[in-house]
Amino acid sequence: MEKTLAIIKPDAVQAGYTGEIIKRIEEDGLIIRAMRMEHLDRKRAEGFYYVHRQKSFFNELINFMTSGPCVLLVLSAYNVINRWRNLMGPTDPKSGHPDTIRRAMGTNIERNAVHGSDSKDSAVYEVNYFFKGTEIFER
Ligand code: ATP
Ligand code: MG
């Protein structure tokens, strides 16, 4: 079964949205296979977002992602990568449908509440970046 990495970002954890986001995940039929709270340090966040290291917003993004604890999750389901990104909505919260998590709980293009892997290759990298095989419960 396909897997993806989801992150409830520091803004959403701080705002008390963790439970609402987990509820939406489970109501959509996505299965939580692993979950952990972690306060990323700069090295850990930079390694995770290394594909963006040349972007103008990289330093701000790392400041934000290290500003408080995150909730890291491994989700699985048929087509879960696309299904989770559809629940999240687009990067910029204001351009999403009102039902999307980012529109409902995000603040702006940076503080956008959640993360989701964007391809099969990035999902494998990201799941393995944060979780050992023994921490992922297949059933
Ligand atoms: P994510 O990878 O977090 O799921 P995404 O795939 O929708 O989000 P990316 O282009 O991968 O978007 O950007 C990664 C993250 O960097 C965004 O979620 C957001 O927090 C931040 N970001 C992206 N674009 C900008 C921008 N123009 N200004 C500030 N921050 C940005
Ligand atoms: Mg991305």
Side-chain angles (χ1 to χ4, degrees):
M1 194 65 82
E2 188 174 275
K3 291 193 193 67
T4 195
L5 185 86
I7 303 179
I8 304 174
K9 295 184 179 183
D11 58 332
V13 172
Q14 169 68 30
Y17 289 137
T18 301
E20 173 64 23
I21 292 168
I22 290 173
K23 180 164 161 268
R24 290 182 184 215
I25 287 169
E26 294 195 322
E27 279 180 354
D28 199 66
L30 310 183
I31 312 293
I32 297 171
R33 298 296 188 184
M35 180 163 67
R36 184 174 72 250
M37 204 163 183
E38 185 173 318
H39 191 149
L40 306 183
D41 65 19
R42 293 194 76 82
K43 262 209 158 119
R44 193 113 154 116
E46 285 169 2
F48 178 71
Y49 275 128
Y50 81 100
V51 293
H52 294 310
R53 65 195 176 281
Q54 311 288 15
K55 303 269 174 66
S56 58
F57 59 79
F58 184 70
N59 197 46
E60 283 302 310
L61 174 61
I62 300 305
N63 289 345
F64 163 52
M65 290 300 290
T66 58
S67 65
C70 293
V71 177
L72 310 169
L73 306 101
V74 177
L75 309 180
S76 85
Y78 175 73
N79 199 25
V80 69
I81 294 171
N82 285 324
R83 286 168 65 187
W84 170 234
R85 286 189 68 94
N86 288 339
L87 284 184
M88 288 170 30
T91 310
D92 190 357
K94 68 177 184 299
S95 62
H97 187 278
D99 289 349
T100 60
I101 291 171
R102 282 170 162 172
R103 174 77 176 269
M105 292 170 245
T107 303
N108 56 41
I109 195 167
E110 176 187 86
R111 301 174 68 83
N112 57 7
V114 284
H115 163 85
S117 309
D118 64 5
S119 67
K120 285 182 192 274
D121 286 348
S122 70
V124 169
Y125 174 81
E126 292 178 0
V127 166
N128 289 320
Y129 189 82
F130 284 122
F131 291 95
K132 296 186 280 196
T134 53
E135 295 173 324
I136 301 169
F137 296 88
E138 297 289 347
R139 47 186 67 252

